[in-house]
Amino acid sequence: MIAKVLGRLRSGHSGDIAWSLAGFIVPLAVGLVFIPLIIRQMGVELFGVLSIIWMLIGYFTLFDLGISRALTFLLSRNIGAGEAARNQLVYSTALPVVCVMGLLGGVLFWSCSEVLATRVFNVDAALIPAVRDAFRWTAIAIPFTIWATVMRSCLESYAEFRLINLVKIPINAWFLVGPYAFYLVSDSFSLAVLSLLLARIAMFFAYLLANQRHLRFSIGSIQPALLKELFAFGGWMTVSNVVSPIMVYFDRFLIGSFLSVALVGYYSAPYEIVTKVLVVPVAIVSVLFPAVSKALSERNVEEVRSLTKRFGMLIAGLVGVASLCLISAGGWGLEWWLGPEFREQGYWVLFWISLGVLFNSLAQVPFCVIQASGASKATALIHLAEVPLYLAALSVALVWYQSISAVAFVWCLRVLVDLLVLTWVSARLVDAKAR
């Protein structure tokens, strides 16, 4: 089935998907090798902190105010409408806002680093100075992460997926190799996290230079009137960007706060590997989003339906097989990879997260269609409605069961509900465009 679906995709889409998948799969392979090495070198507790830092670096991209996604939407729409010349105005208007917000995000996190290290996370007292310094390196990395995300979004609008992933593959691999290598040489956790900062700086400048082929910042091109259009889309995207990572990452945050950072390690190891399967839908949807945006700008509803069907079948086939393999062989794999203790502590985490990843992967297609139609408000309201229910369910799992397996079950249930709601909303939106 997978080969048949791939055959129906346009050659350009197939090539873009291949490059996007490579950009995620290569770091995944590196992770299979280096995560056990990192755990053995640092210990479970510091690995738990490192996994939280990976999480926080991704979470603070919310400070772009949704402009990265708004740029992909607006630039793709202009290209589809034959108005690519307007993209210079959109890019130049958005860039100063993103620069300021990136700096604010970094300053905010720096100001919280002491509290996070000493009061929020249950860290051994001897490790607090190293963890505090590591959080400060993370604060400096946040602006570069936000700026790199915006640069990449512009490149996606121009279908520069090969170029994007030629940068992403070595940088994301270094995100795993770097902490291990720096810690091995220096025996310093804070210096291990410094390697993540260096990677984000390199990624930002690489994407910035790559963007010069299409877009260049010009003060004279700034159009304050365009800010309304950017914020109309990006504002609701910011709501989703704030709320969605809470639902994705807050499980580990609460485990670290209510139970222990060591249990975050037992939860994160299977979680990090299983959720790497999400590279498949993310890679595919990164190609789908500009294509659907362009088709909608041309009011070609049949093309939208055709794209979502083919891309959805491709995701279902690839992720379905991966989830089945993980559920079937996950216990043995955890024991072989990390040892019997991780199998005992983490198998049911792996089981529920594997099932949830399939639901989450399928949800990427309707989510993409909703965003590409400009209805970012709809996804934001859906996520806002889900948050209190999800946090309440997590609290029950942690307080009543004190079990990381129960937390994983709640995560799986939440993404199933998300899939059903997003599918219904996207179908309504496409039907409305057809009228």
Side-chain angles (χ1 to χ4, degrees):
M1 184 190 79
I2 294 170
K4 186 176 180 181
V5 173
L6 281 171
R8 290 178 179 173
L9 293 173
R10 294 176 183 171
S11 59
H13 289 155
S14 299
D16 293 341
I17 289 171
W19 274 108
S20 294
L21 285 172
F24 289 104
I25 290 173
V26 173
L28 172 60
V30 174
L32 287 171
V33 175
F34 276 89
I35 284 179
L37 296 177
I38 292 170
I39 292 172
R40 291 181 195 128
Q41 192 70 31
M42 295 183 180
V44 173
E45 189 165 11
L46 282 180
F47 173 72
V49 177
L50 181 64
S51 69
I52 289 170
I53 287 172
W54 285 333
M55 170 194 77
L56 290 170
I57 287 176
Y59 182 78
F60 266 76
T61 55
L62 66 92
F63 271 85
D64 77 345
L65 301 180
I67 287 177
S68 58
R69 197 66 159 173
L71 278 171
T72 305
F73 169 69
L74 294 173
L75 300 182
S76 299
R77 188 185 68 179
N78 288 341
I79 293 169
E83 299 177 350
R86 283 178 51 82
N87 286 350
Q88 182 69 33
L89 305 179
V90 176
Y91 177 77
S92 295
T93 303
L95 220 55
V97 178
V98 171
C99 287
V100 171
M101 296 310 300
L103 291 172
L104 286 177
V107 169
L108 176 63
F109 190 80
W110 180 287
S111 67
C112 295
S113 59
E114 182 78 28
V115 174
L116 289 171
T118 58
R119 299 181 185 178
V120 175
F121 296 113
N122 187 14
V123 179
D124 186 277
L127 298 175
I128 286 175
V131 171
R132 180 189 59 231
D133 292 344
F135 283 152
R136 287 174 177 168
W137 287 126
T138 304
I140 300 172
I142 284 170
F144 292 99
T145 302
I146 293 169
W147 301 337
T149 301
V150 171
M151 295 296 110
R152 189 190 67 216
S153 297
C154 296
L155 290 170
E156 287 176 354
S157 303
Y158 288 90
E160 293 279 13
F161 295 98
R162 177 177 177 273
L163 188 56
I164 289 169
N165 289 288
L166 285 174
V167 174
K168 180 190 286 186
I169 289 171
I171 296 293
N172 282 359
W174 179 255
F175 238 55
L176 291 151
V177 178
Y180 173 75
F182 274 50
Y183 191 88
L184 184 66
V185 171
S186 67
D187 199 34
S188 167
F189 182 69
S190 64
L191 290 181
V193 176
L194 171 62
S195 70
L196 305 183
L197 166 61
L198 298 176
R200 289 304 184 183
I201 292 172
M203 178 174 276
F204 164 65
F205 281 106
Y207 284 153
L208 177 65
L209 291 173
N211 260 303
Q212 303 304 302
R213 298 174 57 181
H214 304 289
L215 300 165
R216 290 178 181 270
F217 175 75
S218 169
I219 294 178
S221 296
I222 295 175
Q223 301 288 319
L226 285 173
L227 288 173
K228 182 179 179 181
E229 193 171 9
L230 282 165
F231 287 128
F233 185 92
W236 285 109
M237 272 302 303
T238 301
V239 175
S240 288
N241 286 347
V242 171
V243 172
S244 185
I246 288 175
M247 294 189 289
V248 172
Y249 297 129
F250 224 62
D251 46 3
R252 281 159 287 176
F253 189 92
L254 291 177
I255 290 169
S257 299
F258 279 83
L259 302 180
S260 74
V261 173
L263 282 176
V264 175
Y266 289 118
Y267 185 91
S268 292
Y271 184 98
E272 288 293 333
I273 286 301
V274 173
T275 55
K276 289 294 185 290
V277 175
L278 290 171
V279 304
V280 174
V282 169
I284 292 171
V285 166
S286 69
V287 177
L288 179 63
F289 182 78
V292 171
S293 296
K294 183 179 178 182
L296 288 172
S297 72
E298 299 167 347
R299 305 193 66 81
N300 190 345
V301 173
E302 289 306 312
E303 175 69 3
V304 172
R305 287 173 173 158
S306 175
L307 284 167
T308 54
K309 180 180 178 181
R310 286 177 285 162
F311 279 67
M313 289 174 63
L314 181 60
I315 289 172
L318 291 171
V319 178
V321 170
S323 295
L324 181 62
C325 291
L326 286 165
I327 289 171
S328 301
W332 171 84
L334 277 176
E335 184 170 357
W336 172 81
W337 187 44
L338 297 172
E341 190 173 0
F342 272 84
R343 177 174 186 168
E344 179 183 350
Q345 294 276 1
Y347 173 71
W348 284 105
V349 173
L350 181 145
F351 177 90
W352 290 116
I353 298 297
S354 297
L355 189 59
V357 158
L358 177 59
F359 300 146
N360 202 349
S361 299
L362 294 172
Q364 299 299 313
V365 173
F367 181 85
C368 171
V369 173
I370 295 168
Q371 295 289 305
S373 69
S376 55
K377 179 179 178 180
T379 52
L381 292 175
I382 290 168
H383 288 149
L384 281 172
E386 289 176 359
V387 164
L389 299 175
Y390 178 55
L391 293 182
L394 278 180
S395 299
V396 170
L398 285 164
V399 175
W400 288 6
Y401 296 97
Q402 297 187 346
S403 164
I404 57 176
S405 301
V407 171
F409 171 77
V410 171
W411 188 91
C412 177
L413 186 62
R414 194 270 304 171
V415 294
L416 173 60
V417 172
D418 200 47
L419 167 62
L420 297 174
V421 175
L422 289 171
T423 300
W424 181 77
V425 172
S426 68
R428 292 285 299 271
L429 283 171
V430 173
D431 287 345
K433 295 283 185 181
R435 297 191 190 106

